[in-house]
Structures are given as C-alpha cells and as structure tokens.
Amino acid sequence: MNIKLCYFCKKFCVFSKRNFSVQSMVKYQRVVLGIETSCDETGAAVVDENRKIHGEALFSQKEIHLRTGGIIPSVARQLHKEKIDHVVTKAVLSSGISLHDISAIATTVKPGLALCLEVGLSYSLNLVKHFKKPLIPIHHMEAHALTIRLLHQLEFPFLVLLISGGHCILSVVNGVTDFLLLGQSLDESPGEALDKVARRLSLSKQAECSSMSGGESIEYLAQFGDKKFTKQNPPMAQYQDCNFSFSGLRSHYERLIEMQENKEGIQKGEMLSCAADIASSFQHSVAHHLAKRTQRAILFCKKEGLLPPLKTSLAVPGLHTRYGLKVVSGGVGSNQYIRQVLQNLTDDMNMSLLCPPPQLCTDNGVMIAWNGVERLCAGAGVLKNAHNIRYEPRALFGTDISERVQKSTIKLPPLKNIK
C-alpha cells in the first residue's frame, strides 16, 4: 500500500475548519466510501444516504489496453496498484469529509479479474483496520443494477438488463439483496462480441476510432452504414427462454468479413470499403437479440405478476405506464442505438425505460459507494470483522428462475418499430 495512513489524518486536520459544516452534517447521516477495481477502472467515491455524491475520482486504463489489443490482467493489476492511492485520496479530499467520519468502506469483491480485485480488497482492508470502520463487500453486477436508485426514488421491484464487457443479465430486482435471474449470456457478453468484431475490422487503424474501445468504434462507424447490409437469423430463436448467445452471431460476422476481404482482394488487417455497413448490421443484430429476449422477460413478468403497476409519482413524464419499469445499465448500456431499440420496445409494451448516464453505466466508484449505502441502510452484509473476506473472480447472480421462464413457453409476437 503506497499511502501512509497517517497522511489522511494530517490532511484532514488542515481541512477540518474549512469544512466544519460538512463534517458536522455527516455525523447525522450515513456516508460510504466506495472503491472499485474489478477490471480496468480504478474508481472511488464518497456518497451519502441522501443520494449526494460528495466526491469522486476515476482512473481509466482504456488507452493503455487499446495499445496492447486487450486487457492483460497483470498489467491491469500494476496500474491499479500505482493509481489507487491517488484515486482514493482525490475522492476523499474533494468530498471534504474525513475518513474518521465515514460510516463504512464498500469495495468490489466479486466478480472480476482476480489480480485486480485483490488490489482493491487489500487496500480497503488496510483502511478498515486503521480507521476501525466496517467493510461492505460488493457484488459488482448488483451495484450496476441498483445505480438507478441513486438517481431516482425508484421503488422495488423493477426489471433490469445489465449489458457490459463481461456480462449480459436479465433480472427482476425485488430488493437490495433480492434478485431473480431470468436469463444470462451462455457464452460471450455483448461487449466482448462488439470488441472482437471491431478488432477483426481493424477499426483501431481508423484515425477517428484510434482512441475508442471496440464497442465505441462500432457505434461510431455504424452511423454511416446500412443496418440491412446482411440478414442473420436471431440467435436462440428456437429456445423459449431469456438466455443470450453472442458467440455464434459474432462468428457469422467474422466469416462475413473474411468473405468480403476475399471479394475485395485485400489482406486481413486492411480496411474494407463496407466496414461501416458491417458495423451497422452487427450492432443492429446485437440490439435485436437483446430486445427479443427482453420482450420475453417483460411478457413473463406480466404473466407472473412480478412487476406491479408503477405508481404515478414514479412514472416517467410523457409515458402512460401500467406495468412497471425497466432499467438498462452496464457499459454497453451507453450505446445510444441499443438504448433507442430498447426504448422502442418498452414504449410498445407500455413500460417506462430508465438508463443511468453513460459515466455511471461504465465501472466507477459511485455505484460501489451507493450500493454500500443501500446495504448499510438495509443492514445487509456489513462486516465489522472482515478478516476472513475473500475476493471471488466468478460469482453467481441472484436466484436463478430461468427454468420457470422456459416452462412458461411464451411465444413472441413480431417486434414493432424494430426491423
């Protein structure tokens, strides 16, 4: 641990007079420091139970990993170790709240890259020991699912679609620790598939895309292409469940790229003249697959009464909501085309759609701190003795009821406004 723990104490002696009102305020409410290091973002934030973000900081490793063509866990760990001290210090100092006045420290312990999770947990345990604070272990995907409650006074239950570089999950959120898993990806995540197709198209060699992630470059280039360039049957259409599969879809487009390269007489790694068309078509196929499985989830929830009518006070202005609300989060949830497709779906099915802003869809310390606040207020998973806590690279999500979905044999009508 690079930081000398007494550094915090010395700093906050200097800041205590200037921030006297803040320091007095936090004595009467719960405030949590959140720390995130599950993959390639080092994040920290200080959030209170009144949904106020007092301070936050983030270091993204994206540009470094773009140069190596993907995340190398050992490199990610080293970067976390180098930056975590600075990130946490910046978040805490900008909050104006002493760590002595923090109610608890929340940190991501699952799922994620083992080498990265270890850095955040080790750092947090040192803070917990020094400042004698409880530790709140956080499930990364649960934090994504509950981020929307930081922004809206949203009551349980609601339906959530989590789409990211590592996961694709459909779940009913009944409470802070109560999740019903309706479906998940059986192979690749949508983010992974988007990144692989972007690499196969060599989009990083395009000047406009050189600083973008694979998913971002696909979204950018797709604006200039024809989404109907090629037609591909939706994945898993024969299965009446809410699970996802993106590997077959991705393989189809990789074969298409190879075929087009041979047709144009160019080598692998050179830019295809139809690259924008392929990007647009692939993005649409991913969005369509997400929409079809989500359509079944909504119909299942209506049939089983899992989503009661949404209270008028919580309804999104301009939408006549009768059946509840769907939330989209996770890094791929930042994709504006995918959001629009899902917006069309929820409009057609008489539901509301809420999405966190892009900066809160990707990994960050705010969502970890907020999940810590939620757990602290609910008295769930708060550890006063954290000696035996361990990180878990793989972790289950909620209670799996996906077989119930399949047994419901729900048939899907054609999607309106999504062609």
Side-chain angles (χ1 to χ4, degrees), residues 248 344 363:
N344 293 343
D363 297 348

Side-chain angles (χ1 to χ4, degrees), residues 241-298:
D241 58 31
C242 289
N243 290 322
F244 303 85
S245 173
F246 294 95
S247 63
L249 190 63
R250 183 259 306 162
S251 296
H252 168 80
Y253 277 87
E254 288 180 336
R255 290 192 296 271
L256 175 63
I257 293 168
E258 183 177 3
M259 184 177 70
Q260 291 296 322
E261 287 172 342
N262 292 334
K263 184 177 179 180
E264 294 188 17
I266 65 174
Q267 298 295 315
K268 181 178 179 180
E270 296 181 69
M271 283 295 299
L272 283 167
S273 62
C274 59
D277 294 327
I278 293 175
S280 182
S281 177
F282 182 60
Q283 177 181 250
H284 177 72
S285 295
V286 169
H288 190 272
H289 183 38
L290 291 168
K292 290 297 288 186
R293 311 316 273 185
T294 303
Q295 181 188 25
R296 177 172 282 113
I298 293 172

Side-chain angles (χ1 to χ4, degrees), residues 391-406:
Y391 57 84
E392 301 174 45
R394 296 181 180 275
L396 297 176
F397 182 91
T399 301
D400 190 344
I401 64 167
S402 56
E403 286 190 5
R404 278 178 57 189
V405 178
Q406 189 170 13

Side-chain angles (χ1 to χ4, degrees), residues 150-188:
L150 171 66
L151 308 170
H152 302 272
Q153 291 188 349
L154 177 63
E155 295 182 3
F156 300 115
F158 56 87
L159 178 67
V160 67
L161 172 64
L162 302 175
I163 42 179
S164 68
H167 299 85
C168 188
I169 292 171
L170 268 168
S171 173
V172 174
V173 185
N174 284 326
V176 174
T177 61
D178 186 356
F179 301 84
L180 299 179
L181 179 65
L182 305 180
Q184 60 187 323
S185 179
L186 302 179
D187 41 57
E188 295 177 356

Side-chain angles (χ1 to χ4, degrees), residues 217 234 366 371 410:
S217 61
V366 172
N371 195 208
I410 295 171

Side-chain angles (χ1 to χ4, degrees), residues 98 105 116 120 124 133 154 179-180 190 193 216 221 252 254 278 297 308 346 361 385:
S98 166
I105 296 171
C116 300
S124 298
K133 300 296 179 181
L154 177 63
F179 301 84
L180 299 179
E216 289 171 334
L221 201 61
H252 168 80
E254 288 180 336
I278 293 175
T346 50
C361 280
N385 186 341

